[in-house]
Amino acid sequence: MEEKKTFKDILMNIWHSREASLIIVLIILSVIMSIATPAFTTRENLISFIKQCAIGCVASMGQTFIVASANIDLSIGEIMNMSGILMAMFIKSFSVGDGVLVGNTWWGALLSWVLAMIIGACLGWLNGFLLTKLRLPAFIITLGTQYIIRGIDQVITKGYPVTIDNGAIIHKIGVGGIDALGGLPYLFFFVPIAAVVGWFILDRTVLGNHIKALGGNETAARLSGLNTTKLRVLTYIICGIFAGYSAIMMVARLNSGSVAGAGNVSMDAVAATVVGGTSMSGGNGSVIGTLLGCVLMQFIKTSMVLLQVNMYWQTAVIGVVLIAVCGLDSLTQKITR
Amino acid sequence: MDNNMLLEVKDLSKAFPGVQALDHVSFDLKAGEIHCLIGENGAGKSTLIKCLGGVNIPEEGDIFINGEKAVINDPLESVQEGIGIIYQEFNLVPGLSVAENIYLAREDTKGSKGVVLDRKTMYEKANAILTDIGFRNPDSSVMMWTYRTSQQQMVEIGKALSHDSKIMVFDEPTAVLTERETRNLFDVIKKLRERGIGIIYISHRLDEVLELADRVTALKDGKVTGTVVNDGNLNKDDLVAMMIGRKLEAYYPERYDTVEPDTVVFEVKNLSSPTGVFKNINFQLHKGEILGFSGLVGAGRTETMKAIIGEFPYSSGEFYLNGEQMTNPSPFNWINKGLAMLPEDRKAEGLVLGMSVAQNISLPNFDKFSKNGIVDLKAQKEFIDENMAKLTVQPKDPNRLAVFLSGGNQQKVILAKWLAKNPDVLILDEPTRGIDVNAKMEIYKIMNDLTTQGISIVMVSSEMNELMGMCDRILVMYEGELVAEFTRDENGEYSEDEIGRAQAGALS
Ligand SMILES: Nc1ncnc2c1ncn2[C@@H]1O[C@H](COP(=O)(O)OP(=O)(O)OP(=O)(O)O)[C@@H](O)[C@H]1O
Ligand SMILES: [Mg+2]
């Protein structure tokens, strides 16, 4: 009797933990895929999977902070683009004697990374500042800044990508990998670093707790003595830094900064966040869940390519997954009334 | 089957993860009877009601109405069985008219198509119903949000009557009412009883129970501990014994003499609102003092307290804490200086409902178990356990979401959060609303202890007994103004009459 109950409890815990459920789903899907097609287990597939997935994963982590505070950031993609463009310009435009570009020196490369994250932080601050000053919904503010940033990008670049010479360090990072580990792409290592930092902030720090409380009930948080204005601005700065960080990865991968580089990442990030178990009405948030949510989405896309499903269906399937995961969650909650 | 019974509940059981909310509960109700349900916070009273209302679905047991088995799987079926429930949170749509609220989903229409609303008929019918329950000159065409809480409650009652309910349930209806509104409600309830309606009435206020009940049933930990007939010999102590399984020695602890009349900790000068909700408020709070704010609901007490912490607009006013002026009041600034407020509305302002009990208690207290912004989980757990135990929060599960706690336990969580903070000045707005006797005693004791540590308390309450039992001084507000100040007489008593007159603005 006791034994049985604990086993059931374990099952219930897995069912209730979004992270655990996602891991199980991913394992099951992997098994199915490796049986279904030999192409799945190849090294090339794995490498290309990681490269496709990595950037979105990190960008979504920033969105997780925003969603946990019961807001949304529609401008993540544009922040990435602007950070990427300015970073690429920085790498290209300065040379250190003898015509060697800054981008070809280690310190110059690092400096350009820091620059990308600072630009991200500044743009995040701008979102947060406008939001708290004008008291408008985040949807409106970030929709607006999204257009503004894109417009400025277009003015700066005249619409052309800022391409970096092949010799630059950032380029090597984008294409290379560690041979000893079967060619594991350098880009891969960006993800665990971001995930650990993000998880730590949201789960283990006072700031993270305050962000979640802000999302759960802003009035109660304010009356508990939290500086809610400052907190809101901080969440956007954090999101901006994650966007800047993923811009580094994006520039590495595309070898350029451009107006369109990040694509539809803002909304994809919302989807990954929600699939990862963070509620749109705020109050909770899981960076690891988001990471897994993002991996699941990309996994399904890649699988469809391998199974030679019409590529136009891929987008539709993402929507189905999003609604299915969240719908299942809300339906099972209703049953326990 | 006893055909005399309007409602019979047999062996009802309902479990939530981690709690057996109802454990084989049997209960019955006759026509024309008021049957009161009492029990500590979390005893299962509301759950029983929600099973009747189709909000919760019991796992075991049967419900019989007029001797026939009833299956209630959703709120609509409950209404069809003739059960009308006035929940503590009203289910009204603010942007519709009063009549449209009463007839929601059963609107009168012009012609036979059922498309165009026939507002005139609805207004007339609604007005008739409201008049019937003692509402003077009702105008049911106005928007719902223009009604006061007590009026909204009347609308809920009217709604239940319009459904032809034979069974009416009230879950802590007086928690949101003033004394006078309470009298009004009692008249209505007694009138309903005369008409043969069976009434289930839940309250933590034992005086009310003794006044209204024909029979009383007590619940404890989901089980019925007894049902007694109120034959006139019943007293409060009997009820308490049924509820908590033992006797309480006293309802209020003896107030220690902790006031230092020469030390003013907190002072408010000339506080006025631009709209006149409060006018020219001046008061001083001494060290170790409990200062009561009495008055009718709507007298402006809550607004005054909110203005003090910077959450309500004011046109003039000065605040001094420990002699230092606060020019820029906000909860954040105040809490850093040592003043905290427990808000009146626990769900909207007090709790983050989607977070756990532990997280809620932690909220203003992170400095106690974190270093450089990083939370020490072990220290946090110890801190939470200690503070939950102090206020006997039930169930003892720190990870339970606040939304799943019973009303009284939610209040305890908010209190635990502030008591742990140890500020110099604590403003408590209705701290014991919806809390069971036992827990009230705990809270009074804690307030008492806090004052021995030199903490000063402002206590806003609509329960006069509690103010007279606990406060060293009572200020009375009437229509936004402080109209009187009372202290204990040589016997240590307050004059209840005088305070009552002051509340009604009848003091010369
Ligand atoms: N939806 C829910 N999910 C989980 N637990 C619940 C839920 N509703 C109630 N409970 C639990 O069931 C128990 C009984 O709660 P209930 O609300 O019936 O108490 P109550 O007697 O009405 O108390 P109070 O006087 O504080 O209102 C409590 O322990 C509560 O935490
Ligand atoms: Mg209740």
Side-chain angles (χ1 to χ4, degrees), chain B residues 290-345:
Chain B
I290 301 182
L291 174 64
F293 265 73
S294 183
L296 304 180
V297 171
R301 296 167 302 166
T302 292
E303 288 80 0
T304 306
M305 299 307 147
K306 283 201 165 158
I308 292 173
I309 63 157
E311 287 279 306
F312 199 88
Y314 60 92
S315 47
S316 71
E318 287 168 25
F319 314 106
Y320 299 87
L321 183 64
N322 295 319
E324 198 187 321
Q325 187 171 6
M326 169 64 80
T327 46
N328 184 16
S330 74
F332 176 73
N333 288 339
W334 272 128
I335 286 160
N336 286 338
K337 293 276 181 213
L339 179 146
M341 185 181 88
L342 173 129
E344 181 185 30
D345 185 339

XYZ file of all heavy atoms in Angstrom, chain B residues 290-345:
428
model
N -1.369 50.241 21.346
C -2.277 49.770 20.301
C -3.383 50.802 20.178
O -4.131 51.039 21.127
C -2.885 48.398 20.629
C -1.782 47.350 20.809
C -3.818 47.965 19.504
C -2.309 45.960 21.100
N -3.430 51.444 19.014
C -4.394 52.508 18.787
C -5.473 52.006 17.837
O -5.174 51.565 16.729
C -3.669 53.721 18.184
C -4.539 54.904 17.752
C -5.239 55.520 18.951
C -3.691 55.960 17.058
N -6.708 52.052 18.292
C -7.798 51.531 17.468
C -8.431 52.601 16.605
O -8.519 53.760 17.005
N -8.819 52.222 15.392
C -9.594 53.102 14.521
C -10.963 52.474 14.330
O -11.080 51.428 13.708
C -8.918 53.280 13.160
C -8.068 54.504 13.086
C -6.860 54.551 13.744
C -8.480 55.618 12.359
C -6.065 55.682 13.689
C -7.696 56.748 12.303
C -6.484 56.800 12.971
N -11.973 53.141 14.873
C -13.317 52.608 14.762
C -14.120 53.471 13.802
O -13.734 54.592 13.492
C -13.952 52.605 16.152
O -15.222 52.030 16.088
N -15.223 52.938 13.347
C -16.056 53.702 12.422
C -16.835 52.749 11.549
O -16.557 51.563 11.503
N -17.825 53.300 10.876
C -18.606 52.460 9.981
C -17.818 52.201 8.710
O -16.910 52.959 8.373
C -19.918 53.160 9.635
C -20.785 53.556 10.832
C -22.050 54.238 10.351
C -21.124 52.343 11.675
N -18.181 51.142 8.006
C -17.571 50.925 6.696
C -17.898 52.137 5.840
O -19.038 52.590 5.805
C -18.126 49.634 6.047
C -17.659 49.535 4.605
C -17.689 48.415 6.829
N -16.875 52.696 5.189
C -17.117 53.893 4.384
C -16.802 55.182 5.124
O -16.939 56.259 4.574
N -16.353 55.065 6.372
C -16.019 56.269 7.133
C -14.679 56.861 6.714
O -14.335 57.963 7.104
C -16.013 55.971 8.627
N -13.917 56.115 5.905
C -12.659 56.640 5.398
C -11.427 56.118 6.110
O -10.331 56.627 5.916
N -11.602 55.066 6.904
C -10.443 54.560 7.661
C -9.410 53.921 6.747
O -8.217 54.220 6.822
C -10.905 53.543 8.703
C -11.802 54.140 9.770
C -12.470 53.051 10.566
N -13.249 52.180 9.698
C -13.723 51.006 10.042
N -13.480 50.527 11.236
N -14.421 50.289 9.200
N -9.880 53.027 5.870
C -8.942 52.347 4.980
C -8.228 53.345 4.068
O -7.018 53.264 3.870
C -9.708 51.299 4.143
O -10.146 50.284 5.024
C -8.820 50.695 3.071
N -8.989 54.327 3.576
C -8.390 55.326 2.690
C -7.320 56.130 3.437
O -6.260 56.437 2.881
C -9.467 56.268 2.144
C -10.398 55.634 1.119
C -11.501 54.785 1.756
O -11.534 54.684 3.000
O -12.316 54.215 1.006
N -7.605 56.458 4.705
C -6.622 57.192 5.493
C -5.329 56.388 5.617
O -4.231 56.912 5.403
C -7.186 57.469 6.907
O -8.450 58.111 6.765
C -6.245 58.331 7.707
N -5.476 55.119 5.945
C -4.289 54.273 6.107
C -3.530 54.151 4.793
O -2.311 54.170 4.759
C -4.686 52.880 6.603
C -5.375 52.876 7.948
S -4.417 53.759 9.189
C -5.703 54.441 10.218
N -4.284 54.032 3.713
C -3.622 53.912 2.414
C -2.903 55.195 2.045
O -1.820 55.158 1.462
C -4.654 53.562 1.333
C -5.048 52.119 1.367
C -5.622 51.711 0.032
C -5.681 50.207 -0.061
N -6.654 49.765 -1.054
N -3.497 56.326 2.378
C -2.838 57.602 2.093
C -1.534 57.691 2.873
O -0.520 58.166 2.359
C -3.760 58.759 2.449
N -1.556 57.212 4.106
C -0.341 57.266 4.924
C 0.798 56.511 4.243
O 1.920 56.996 4.172
C -0.610 56.687 6.334
C -1.547 57.611 7.103
C 0.697 56.487 7.088
C -2.004 57.059 8.443
N 0.505 55.354 3.702
C 1.601 54.611 3.070
C 1.800 54.997 1.603
O 2.569 54.376 0.886
C 1.435 53.078 3.189
C 0.179 52.613 2.457
C 1.448 52.620 4.621
C 0.263 51.163 2.065
N 1.102 56.038 1.166
C 1.374 56.540 -0.185
C 0.637 55.805 -1.281
O 1.030 55.853 -2.436
N -0.449 55.142 -0.926
C -1.183 54.372 -1.928
C -2.551 54.996 -2.210
O -3.409 54.362 -2.805
C -1.373 52.931 -1.445
C -0.110 52.106 -1.495
C 0.177 51.562 -2.889
O -0.696 50.918 -3.474
O 1.286 51.799 -3.385
N -2.757 56.225 -1.724
C -4.036 56.902 -1.968
C -3.720 58.388 -2.032
O -2.928 58.882 -1.238
C -5.006 56.593 -0.808
C -6.445 56.847 -1.140
C -7.218 55.852 -1.725
C -7.024 58.093 -0.877
C -8.547 56.093 -2.024
C -8.353 58.323 -1.185
C -9.119 57.328 -1.763
N -4.315 59.103 -2.985
C -3.944 60.510 -3.136
C -4.364 61.364 -1.935
O -5.428 61.158 -1.373
C -4.709 60.950 -4.396
C -5.756 59.930 -4.609
C -5.286 58.653 -4.004
N -3.505 62.299 -1.548
C -3.882 63.243 -0.501
C -3.407 64.627 -0.910
O -2.436 64.775 -1.648
C -3.305 62.834 0.852
C -1.807 62.742 0.915
C -1.038 63.839 1.305
C -1.160 61.556 0.585
C 0.340 63.750 1.359
C 0.212 61.460 0.635
C 0.960 62.562 1.021
O 2.320 62.477 1.061
N -4.134 65.655 -0.431
C -3.803 67.016 -0.860
C -2.898 67.712 0.146
O -2.116 68.576 -0.212
C -5.075 67.827 -1.068
O -5.940 67.656 0.035
N -3.010 67.322 1.419
C -2.083 67.878 2.396
C -1.859 66.825 3.462
O -2.674 65.924 3.636
C -2.670 69.132 3.031
O -3.738 68.764 3.879
N -0.757 66.981 4.167
C -0.493 66.023 5.235
C 0.991 65.856 5.481
O 1.796 65.969 4.563
N 1.332 65.650 6.750
C 2.734 65.405 7.107
C 2.804 64.152 7.963
O 1.924 63.883 8.773
C 3.286 66.591 7.908
C 3.524 67.820 7.060
C 3.798 69.048 7.927
O 4.257 68.887 9.081
O 3.531 70.152 7.450
N 3.876 63.394 7.749
C 4.050 62.157 8.510
C 5.413 62.167 9.190
O 6.403 62.532 8.562
C 3.977 60.938 7.593
C 2.830 60.989 6.619
C 3.063 61.259 5.275
C 1.541 60.776 7.052
C 2.011 61.320 4.387
C 0.483 60.839 6.169
C 0.718 61.107 4.830
N 5.443 61.774 10.448
C 6.701 61.707 11.180
C 6.853 60.338 11.821
O 5.971 59.890 12.558
C 6.752 62.773 12.278
C 6.661 64.176 11.724
C 5.425 64.771 11.506
C 7.822 64.888 11.420
C 5.342 66.051 10.994
C 7.751 66.174 10.906
C 6.500 66.753 10.694
O 6.427 68.009 10.178
N 7.967 59.683 11.525
C 8.263 58.415 12.177
C 9.520 58.606 13.009
O 10.551 59.029 12.477
C 8.470 57.320 11.134
C 8.723 55.913 11.667
C 7.530 55.392 12.435
C 9.066 54.964 10.525
N 9.434 58.336 14.283
C 10.548 58.567 15.201
C 11.104 59.978 15.042
O 12.316 60.184 15.030
C 11.665 57.550 14.966
C 11.200 56.142 15.298
O 10.503 55.938 16.283
N 11.562 55.184 14.453
N 10.223 60.939 14.882
C 10.629 62.334 14.786
C 11.123 62.760 13.421
O 11.337 63.943 13.166
N 11.281 61.814 12.533
C 11.836 62.137 11.218
C 10.688 62.256 10.221
O 9.823 61.383 10.165
C 12.767 61.007 10.793
C 13.737 61.354 9.701
C 14.489 60.106 9.255
O 14.843 59.267 10.126
O 14.685 59.955 8.049
N 10.680 63.315 9.444
C 9.576 63.481 8.510
C 9.764 62.598 7.284
O 10.866 62.441 6.774
C 9.451 64.947 8.070
C 8.189 65.150 7.235
C 7.907 66.613 6.953
O 8.692 67.485 7.276
N 6.756 66.876 6.332
N 8.650 62.020 6.827
C 8.670 61.248 5.588
C 8.007 62.108 4.523
O 6.804 62.370 4.571
C 7.894 59.939 5.785
C 7.602 59.165 4.511
S 9.070 58.564 3.668
C 9.444 57.119 4.648
N 8.820 62.568 3.573
C 8.260 63.484 2.578
C 7.770 62.738 1.347
O 7.032 63.285 0.546
C 9.328 64.500 2.134
O 10.527 63.783 1.873
C 9.555 65.544 3.216
N 8.215 61.509 1.226
C 7.924 60.786 -0.010
C 7.389 59.395 0.331
O 8.050 58.397 0.118
C 9.237 60.700 -0.798
C 9.050 60.054 -2.131
O 7.914 59.928 -2.602
N 10.129 59.613 -2.727
N 6.176 59.328 0.897
C 5.708 58.029 1.383
C 5.392 57.045 0.260
O 4.766 57.408 -0.740
C 4.432 58.369 2.161
C 3.968 59.656 1.610
C 5.174 60.391 1.127
N 5.874 55.843 0.417
C 5.527 54.731 -0.483
C 5.784 53.487 0.347
O 6.545 53.547 1.310
C 6.423 54.721 -1.720
O 7.709 54.266 -1.382
N 5.132 52.375 0.021
C 5.375 51.180 0.829
C 6.864 50.868 0.940
O 7.366 50.523 2.006
C 4.637 50.091 0.057
C 3.573 50.796 -0.680
C 4.136 52.144 -1.024
N 7.579 51.027 -0.178
C 9.008 50.731 -0.191
C 9.761 51.622 0.799
O 10.522 51.145 1.630
C 9.542 50.932 -1.614
C 11.013 50.758 -1.750
C 11.584 49.504 -1.684
C 11.838 51.861 -1.957
C 12.950 49.337 -1.820
C 13.204 51.706 -2.091
C 13.763 50.441 -2.025
N 9.517 52.928 0.720
C 10.209 53.852 1.615
C 9.832 53.619 3.070
O 10.683 53.658 3.958
C 9.907 55.299 1.231
C 10.601 55.687 -0.059
O 11.571 55.048 -0.457
N 10.086 56.704 -0.716
N 8.559 53.372 3.315
C 8.126 53.176 4.693
C 8.734 51.922 5.298
O 9.168 51.911 6.449
C 6.606 53.066 4.768
C 5.872 54.366 4.926
C 4.845 54.811 4.153
C 6.086 55.376 5.928
N 4.410 56.032 4.608
C 5.149 56.403 5.703
C 6.972 55.508 6.994
C 5.068 57.544 6.494
C 6.906 56.643 7.789
C 5.955 57.652 7.532
N 8.718 50.848 4.541
C 9.194 49.600 5.108
C 10.672 49.689 5.449
O 11.127 49.166 6.461
C 8.847 48.421 4.181
C 7.348 48.159 4.300
C 9.622 47.165 4.542
C 6.740 47.397 3.185
N 11.414 50.431 4.639
C 12.819 50.624 4.968
C 13.012 51.430 6.244
O 13.992 51.275 6.949
C 13.545 51.316 3.816
C 13.756 50.362 2.672
O 13.750 49.146 2.867
N 13.899 50.889 1.481
N 12.028 52.302 6.528
C 12.136 53.119 7.746
C 11.521 52.404 8.940
O 11.680 52.847 10.081
C 11.414 54.460 7.554
C 12.063 55.348 6.530
C 13.199 56.138 7.155
C 13.805 57.028 6.091
N 15.227 57.232 6.253
N 10.723 51.359 8.686
C 10.164 50.625 9.819
C 8.667 50.768 10.018
O 8.186 50.669 11.138
N 7.925 51.006 8.934
C 6.463 51.022 9.061
C 5.877 50.109 7.996
O 6.228 50.209 6.817
C 5.944 52.448 8.897
C 4.425 52.649 8.988
C 4.112 54.002 9.628
C 3.744 52.570 7.631
N 5.014 49.209 8.420
C 4.422 48.271 7.468
C 2.913 48.252 7.631
O 2.393 48.530 8.705
C 4.975 46.866 7.687
N 2.215 47.946 6.538
C 0.758 47.877 6.628
C 0.221 46.563 6.101
O 0.637 46.079 5.053
C 0.103 49.001 5.846
C -1.409 48.969 6.050
S -2.314 50.222 5.150
C -2.576 49.390 3.609
N -0.739 46.020 6.832
C -1.458 44.843 6.374
C -2.751 45.328 5.720
O -3.583 45.927 6.372
C -1.770 43.955 7.577
C -2.654 42.746 7.341
C -1.973 41.519 7.909
C -4.001 42.928 7.995
N -2.878 45.124 4.413
C -4.031 45.688 3.715
C -5.309 44.923 4.017
O -5.293 43.797 4.500
C -3.662 45.573 2.244
C -2.670 44.478 2.177
C -1.977 44.414 3.503
N -6.423 45.580 3.707
C -7.733 45.052 4.038
C -8.123 43.883 3.132
O -8.685 42.893 3.574
C -8.727 46.204 3.858
C -10.143 45.875 4.164
C -11.051 47.053 3.822
O -10.720 47.823 2.902
O -12.082 47.196 4.470
N -7.796 44.018 1.848
C -8.260 43.040 0.878
C -7.181 41.996 0.645
O -6.244 42.193 -0.096
C -8.596 43.754 -0.435
C -9.202 42.816 -1.451
O -9.005 41.590 -1.325
O -9.858 43.312 -2.368
